[in-house]
Amino acid sequence: MRTMIHNGMSQESNRFPIIGFVQQYKRLVFGSHVRERGSESAKQHFYENISWLFMWYKNWRWEFSYMQQSDILHKYSVLVSYIVFCGTVILLYFNMKQANIFWELSAIGNFLFLLILAMLWYRKVWSFFFATMFIPKPRKKLSDKAQKNFKFRTLVYVTIILLQIALICVELLDCSQFQVINDIMETHAYGADINEICFTPWAITHAMDLTIGIIFLFTHISYVLKWIIALVVLIFHIIVVFVVYDFMFEYSTSSNPYFLPQYVHFMELCRVAWIFHIMNREIEFISRMDFNWKHELRKKKDNAKFTNETISILIGNILPAHIVNIYMKDHLASELCYEEYQNVAVMFATIRNYDTEQVGMRVLNEIICDFDEVLSTYQGFNKIEKIKVANWTYMAACGLSSTNSIIKRNRSNLENKESDFKLAASASEISGNSELQAPVALREVGLSNDVVFVMMRFALDLMKKMRQFNEENIQSDDKRTQGALRIGIANGPVMAGVVGLYKPFYDIWGNAVNLASRMDSTGLENCIQVPEETANILMSYDVQCTFRGMTFAKGLDYIPTYFVEIDDDFQFVQQRTDEAVT
């Protein structure tokens, strides 16, 4: 572990701007190429989007997003700048003579600084002094705008730099070059100190040092803009030292006996600029890398969110909606989870006159997709769930909603106790003991006959869609070559649940499922066959059902079955009044 950490720190340190610049310089000059590992190659790709010279993102969208970030240190930078401004005023006051315009500019600078600080710090001051009092909290529009708006931050930054430079320029402009020469000659004549003439050169240089510090102090300001302003200040100082006031700086004291005073002043400012530049470059590098990592994290979160949504959609196409919530949140992939329903309508619809070997899977896929399109319109209270497609048979059920379920169970102790109680209650009923009663949560609820009528309407819509498919794709008039539906519907109590550890499968079991399957297998094409109980429910909705006779159903012996009367347009035929009375 210690070796891994050491290698990781070495790799990260090589990414810092100064060390990274040296490494790139060696590769450029000496042509040395180091074979990179997979992780190093990935990191190299991670940093490819940053320009090492200008410290900006090559992708302008990233650069714009980075500049639009909120700068939480902005108000602290302005406060430090104000302290430096006051220190510059004190420095110039004790080292030279001031004109009235100097104090006027100092007053204007103090007023602007206090105004900016008031905009940036009023919420902070309020929370510190008045947070415990019943005083309305001030709005945060101005302070937030100053932190988030890049243009506003840049305007404040440039204003502060101009105030600092203007303060120095006022001292310089107040001194005449010809007056300086005369004073120098007089000082030589009378032996006065050269540093007391007009202004003190080292005070100007130190004020310039403070200005350079302010330039590189602010974060989330364009790195190129900082360097442009710093170069302007350096050029301005060169002109002052070597051209305009060369006599003043030539006769000033030198901190190095081997260099002339002018060069010492220039080297002092260059050294300060280089130190602040290194500090600012490292801070800029860390800030941009932090933004880059946040961008990668945000992208991974978006990908994870998209993956979760995709998984939810896929599982939603396999499992009912309320089962999806249980399956995703409670992670019941390896646990038993099922529901019991008092009344569910089950339908089996078999596509006839087609053979997979003759027509291929394309026809089956198109028909099933058309059926699913019809299914998507039945998403209300009595939602119809597609259970599965077995060969050419389409299976669906209505009434599998969380409100219709009697009980939900998994492998928790409490629910196992309830299931044991229910089994004991069933045994007591068989033995004739009625003293043992089920709890309220397990008592039966009233039947909902709407599911049968909804399922019947869905079956009619499937038959209409089947006829539409024949009209669009089958050119032959021979009905033996056209697709037809054979439908069986039954209703009753069922159990439904998720089966399996891998590739979870949702299915339903019960007598109603077996009965609906027999109604389909023993039915006729373009007909809907139902058992007697289901027919009675449909007749209560004025749907005419014709008694077919006693039909043999495997495992059920002979049972009475009915055909639902439908017309040529696949609409149910209403029951006649005399039959309804009977």
Side-chain angles (χ1 to χ4, degrees):
M1 292 178 61
R2 191 163 53 243
T3 304
M4 292 176 59
I5 294 174
H6 180 268
N7 293 335
M9 291 297 295
S10 299
Q11 294 173 9
E12 290 299 328
S13 63
N14 290 333
R15 299 298 178 184
F16 278 82
I18 302 303
I19 303 176
F21 177 79
V22 174
Q23 296 292 339
Q24 293 182 4
Y25 176 77
K26 288 182 178 179
R27 292 182 182 181
L28 180 63
V29 176
F30 300 103
S32 59
H33 297 279
V34 180
R35 183 178 298 177
E36 296 182 345
R37 299 178 181 178
S39 59
E40 294 180 356
S41 178
K43 290 182 180 179
Q44 182 65 25
H45 177 72
F46 183 74
Y47 297 129
E48 279 181 354
N49 196 40
I50 295 180
S51 172
W52 289 97
L53 179 60
F54 300 105
M55 292 300 292
W56 63 31
Y57 291 109
K58 298 177 183 178
N59 189 338
W60 65 270
R61 291 186 178 89
W62 284 25
E63 183 68 21
F64 179 77
S65 300
Y66 172 78
M67 288 301 176
Q68 293 299 324
Q69 285 188 119
S70 178
D71 184 11
I72 59 176
L73 298 178
H74 182 68
K75 56 178 175 288
Y76 299 99
S77 300
V78 175
L79 179 61
V80 173
S81 300
Y82 179 59
I83 296 174
V84 172
F85 179 81
C86 295
T88 304
V89 173
I90 296 174
L91 174 67
L92 297 178
Y93 169 75
F94 283 103
N95 285 276
M96 59 195 70
K97 300 177 181 178
Q98 291 78 28
N100 293 332
I101 190 173
F102 175 83
W103 298 113
E104 294 174 358
L105 183 61
S106 300
I108 295 174
N110 278 276
F111 173 77
L112 291 178
F113 265 109
L114 293 176
L115 181 63
I116 296 172
L117 288 172
M119 289 190 298
L120 299 178
W121 281 88
Y122 71 98
R123 281 179 57 84
K124 193 77 173 179
V125 173
W126 180 93
S127 61
F128 184 78
F129 289 102
F130 307 106
T132 58
M133 300 181 182
F134 296 97
I135 301 177
K137 193 174 184 178
R139 295 182 178 181
K140 55 180 181 179
K141 290 184 178 180
L142 289 176
S143 58
D144 283 356
K145 185 176 181 180
Q147 292 183 6
K148 296 180 180 179
N149 193 312
F150 169 69
K151 295 181 180 179
F152 187 84
R153 294 199 309 265
T154 306
L155 178 62
V156 172
Y157 170 75
V158 173
T159 302
I160 292 174
I161 300 301
L162 291 178
L163 285 175
Q164 183 75 11
I165 296 177
L167 197 65
I168 301 173
C169 290
V170 167
E171 287 296 323
L172 294 176
L173 295 176
D174 188 54
C175 183
S176 173
Q177 182 178 1
F178 299 102
Q179 182 65 31
V180 170
I181 297 175
N182 294 331
D183 291 342
I184 290 175
M185 295 177 66
E186 292 178 1
T187 54
H188 278 292
Y190 297 99
D193 188 2
I194 188 67
N195 293 324
E196 296 179 357
I197 301 175
C198 196
F199 63 82
T200 304
W202 277 109
I204 298 296
T205 301
H206 293 325
M208 287 290 184
D209 293 339
L210 295 176
T211 304
I212 292 294
I214 293 178
I215 291 174
F216 289 107
L217 172 66
F218 286 77
T219 58
H220 284 81
I221 300 295
S222 175
Y223 178 81
V224 178
L225 177 61
K226 294 178 184 178
W227 253 118
I228 291 175
I229 297 177
L231 289 176
V232 171
V233 172
L234 285 173
I235 295 173
F236 174 75
H237 189 259
I238 292 174
I239 294 174
V240 170
V241 172
F242 292 96
V243 178
V244 181
Y245 297 102
D246 52 341
F247 287 102
M248 288 292 299
F249 288 91
E250 181 180 358
Y251 290 99
S252 64
T253 57
S254 176
S255 60
N256 193 316
Y258 300 101
F259 292 97
L260 295 177
Q262 301 99 312
Y263 296 101
V264 174
H265 283 275
F266 177 68
M267 291 170 59
E268 167 75 14
L269 191 61
C270 290
R271 182 171 61 251
V272 171
W274 180 252
I275 293 173
F276 278 112
H277 156 255
I278 293 177
M279 298 171 59
N280 176 73
R281 188 174 177 85
E282 295 298 329
I283 295 174
E284 187 76 14
F285 171 80
I286 295 172
S287 178
R288 288 183 179 271
M289 290 303 99
D290 180 68
F291 173 78
N292 206 343
W293 292 331
K294 288 181 180 178
H295 176 77
E296 292 293 330
L297 179 60
R298 192 182 306 112
K299 185 166 64 174
K300 290 181 179 180
K301 287 183 177 179
D302 294 339
N303 292 337
K305 182 179 179 181
F306 176 76
T307 302
N308 291 335
E309 291 176 353
T310 304
I311 293 174
S312 299
I313 293 173
L314 292 176
I315 297 180
N317 291 331
I318 301 174
L319 307 177
H322 63 284
I323 297 295
V324 172
N325 296 332
I326 300 174
Y327 193 83
M328 294 291 289
K329 292 181 180 179
D330 299 336
H331 304 286
L332 299 178
S334 60
E335 297 182 3
L336 177 63
C337 176
Y338 71 93
E339 297 175 308
E340 294 181 2
Y341 295 90
Q342 185 72 11
N343 187 39
V344 174
V346 184
M347 182 201 73
F348 284 84
T350 301
I351 305 170
R352 303 289 296 170
N353 300 334
Y354 286 141
D355 188 358
T356 307
E357 296 181 357
Q358 296 179 359
V359 299
M361 291 295 297
R362 184 184 62 84
V363 174
L364 175 61
N365 179 67
E366 291 182 2
I367 295 175
I368 298 302
C369 289
D370 290 341
F371 288 177
D372 290 342
E373 183 179 353
V374 177
L375 180 71
S376 63
T377 61
Y378 288 84
Q379 303 296 319
F381 177 74
N382 289 320
K383 179 181 179 181
I384 296 179
E385 295 285 353
K386 174 184 175 183
I387 304 301
K388 61 183 175 181
V389 175
N391 200 359
W392 291 86
T393 301
Y394 191 91
M395 180 182 177
C398 182
L400 299 175
S401 61
S402 58
T403 56
N404 294 335
S405 63
I406 298 176
I407 179 175
K408 295 180 182 179
R409 292 191 289 186
N410 55 25
R411 290 182 179 175
S412 63
N413 294 331
L414 176 62
E415 291 171 335
N416 285 334
K417 291 180 180 179
E418 292 179 349
S419 63
D420 295 338
F421 186 89
K422 186 174 182 180
L423 292 175
S426 301
S428 64
E429 291 177 358
I430 296 174
S431 62
N433 184 11
S434 59
E435 295 181 359
L436 185 61
Q437 295 183 357
V440 178
L442 300 176
R443 292 177 185 173
E444 296 183 356
V445 296
L447 297 177
S448 176
N449 295 330
D450 293 341
V451 295
V452 178
F453 184 73
V454 172
M455 182 58 75
M456 192 273 297
R457 291 176 54 191
F458 176 66
L460 293 178
D461 289 341
L462 293 185
M463 299 177 77
K464 293 177 184 178
K465 182 62 70 171
M466 190 75 247
R467 182 176 61 180
Q468 180 181 352
F469 179 83
N470 291 330
E471 294 174 353
E472 295 176 354
N473 298 277
I474 307 301
Q475 304 299 328
S476 175
D477 295 333
D478 188 1
K479 293 186 178 181
R480 293 177 298 178
T481 61
Q482 296 182 354
L485 282 182
R486 187 184 65 196
I487 299 177
I489 299 177
N491 71 289
V494 300
M495 288 192 305
V498 180
V499 178
L501 178 60
Y502 300 104
K503 296 183 179 179
F505 176 69
Y506 182 81
D507 205 353
I508 58 178
W509 303 268
N511 184 61
V513 179
N514 299 330
L515 190 56
S517 177
R518 302 297 180 265
M519 292 298 99
D520 170 43
S521 60
T522 61
L524 300 177
E525 295 179 1
N526 294 324
C527 293
I528 302 175
Q529 184 174 219
V530 295
E532 185 176 15
E533 181 184 357
T534 306
N536 292 332
I537 295 175
L538 291 175
M539 285 188 289
S540 67
Y541 286 90
D542 292 334
V543 177
Q544 184 174 348
C545 297
T546 303
F547 179 67
R548 180 186 184 186
M550 301 299 292
T551 305
F552 177 77
K554 183 179 178 181
L556 300 173
D557 204 359
Y558 287 92
I559 59 174
T561 60
Y562 291 78
F563 282 128
V564 179
E565 292 294 331
I566 56 178
D567 55 19
D568 295 336
D569 295 330
F570 295 111
Q571 299 288 342
F572 65 86
V573 178
Q574 291 187 352
Q575 190 174 1
R576 292 191 294 270
T577 307
D578 53 348
E579 294 180 355
V581 173
T582 302

